[in-house]
Amino acid sequence: MAERKVVSGEVELWSEDFGDPRDPALLLIMGANASGVTWPEEFISLLVAGGHRVIRYDHRDTGRSTYRDFTRYPYSVTDLARDAVSVLDGHGVQRAHVVGLSMGGTLGQVLALDHRERLLTLTVMLTAALGVDFVGNMERASKGQPTLDGLPTPDPRVLAVLARRSEPVRDRASELDRRVAEWRALSGDKLPFDASEFRRYEERVIDHAGSLVQPSAHALATPVPLVRGAELRGITTPTLVIQGGQDPLNPPPHGLHLAQSIPGARLVELPNMGHALPSAIHQPLADAILEHTHRFA
């Protein structure tokens, strides 16, 4: 395991890699306002054992990467995708298997369109297709309104829990309690929820960042234009879509819609999975990813 800072334009991005540098690289891209250490090391170890050099990194404005005043230095979700390319450059990786979760899945789709020469395979999970108005759907869900495309909106009960992020941070214990409650809501109802496990995860995240304040700048980033959804039919990277059967933010059939939008894409649904990475889901999730990456090794 080796840490390094890589440069992307005017920002520095913290990153680290695991495993044998001679193995095929696999880049993990986390979701919005989440640092790279949100990927549990216990899960990463399964990917390393499966024959990959695994790289994770902190998005700008998270973890140990550069923080800047968004009002003075605005950026787009497409810029965040370019950051992922800079991470590959910084680690000397020409082509990699890319795995993106939630917003990371959005970035993965942009990479497959704009930087396809850098991808060996693409795995996107717990996410929506580029043509889906996720930001607008969150607003519609909060008002009890339907989507414009017939796909389900996020669960408004979960959005109410996420809204607590705007509350002032009081102390470490109360902040950990709030984050654990958030993960409980995101995890769904099928798998037993281990509060102590998610408290350990969030303690790592807080210690890594050196701050109790949860990042929020990505909510201000300019979204990928919805018209780019039509471009998905031009993706040539072998793509796996993983749908969490209990995902409250991108519930079924979002994964099916995305898989049908990309030629040759395969869909794997993990029926008990929510919008989280509990240890109970690590093995089946790693198995699905490794089956995909080995198929196109």
Side-chain angles (χ1 to χ4, degrees):
M1 182 172 63
E3 300 181 19
R4 72 179 72 181
K5 286 285 188 74
V6 301
V7 175
S8 181
E10 297 180 346
V11 301
E12 283 190 332
L13 306 171
W14 175 91
S15 66
E16 66 177 341
D17 64 351
F18 302 77
D20 190 331
R22 297 169 295 183
D23 287 339
L26 188 153
L27 178 68
L28 295 173
I29 307 179
M30 187 34 72
N33 299 310
S35 70
V37 298
T38 309
W39 292 103
E41 292 183 12
E42 299 86 345
F43 171 67
I44 291 173
S45 67
L46 297 175
L47 301 177
V48 171
H52 285 296
R53 171 194 181 191
V54 177
I55 302 169
R56 66 179 178 178
Y57 71 99
D58 292 343
H59 295 294
R60 63 175 74 186
D61 289 325
T62 74
R64 296 179 182 175
S65 291
T66 300
Y67 288 75
R68 299 202 297 178
D69 181 354
F70 189 90
T71 60
R72 295 180 58 196
Y73 303 100
Y75 52 85
S76 67
V77 173
T78 301
D79 292 325
L80 294 175
R82 295 192 189 101
D83 287 347
V85 176
S86 296
V87 172
L88 293 180
D89 291 341
H91 284 262
V93 173
Q94 184 58 38
R95 300 185 73 198
H97 302 279
V98 169
V99 177
L101 185 154
S102 196
M103 185 192 74
T106 302
L107 302 189
Q109 294 172 67
V110 173
L111 291 173
L113 292 174
D114 296 348
H115 305 277
R116 66 185 66 197
E117 74 283 357
R118 306 302 298 270
L119 275 63
L120 292 168
T121 66
L122 173 65
T123 298
V124 292
M125 66 179 82
L126 315 182
T127 194
L130 289 185
V132 172
D133 184 12
F134 178 74
V135 175
N137 285 346
M138 290 186 70
E139 180 69 19
R140 294 181 190 99
S142 68
K143 297 178 179 179
Q145 299 172 347
T147 64
L148 303 180
D149 50 24
L151 291 166
T153 59
D155 188 331
R157 297 171 299 177
V158 174
L159 297 185
V161 175
L162 295 177
R164 292 188 56 201
R165 290 188 177 191
S166 62
E167 297 176 359
V169 176
R170 292 181 294 172
D171 52 57
R172 183 182 178 99
S174 60
E175 175 61 13
L176 283 168
D177 287 343
R178 186 197 63 76
R179 295 191 188 194
V180 170
E182 186 175 289
W183 283 121
R184 184 185 297 275
L186 288 168
S187 294
D189 301 323
K190 293 294 185 181
L191 291 174
F193 183 77
D194 185 345
S196 62
E197 176 179 67
F198 281 93
R199 184 173 290 269
R200 289 194 303 273
Y201 289 165
E202 283 301 324
E203 285 175 339
R204 293 179 191 173
V205 169
I206 288 171
D207 291 343
H208 173 72
S211 172
L212 294 176
V213 178
Q214 197 162 27
S216 61
H218 294 167
L220 304 174
T222 304
V224 179
L226 296 179
V227 294
R228 298 213 69 184
E231 298 178 40
L232 294 178
R233 66 174 69 98
I235 287 180
T236 57
T237 302
T239 301
L240 172 67
V241 178
I242 297 176
Q243 170 75 70
Q246 306 303 313
D247 184 352
L249 294 186
N250 294 299
H254 274 279
L256 176 62
H257 172 73
L258 176 53
Q260 291 177 336
S261 300
I262 300 174
R266 294 190 308 119
L267 174 67
V268 170
E269 181 167 331
L270 299 179
N272 296 330
M273 186 179 187
H275 203 88
L277 295 172
S279 58
I281 211 70
H282 290 178
Q283 190 67 61
L285 181 59
D287 288 345
I289 293 170
L290 292 170
E291 194 279 331
H292 182 58
T293 59
H294 290 167
R295 177 181 294 196
F296 298 98

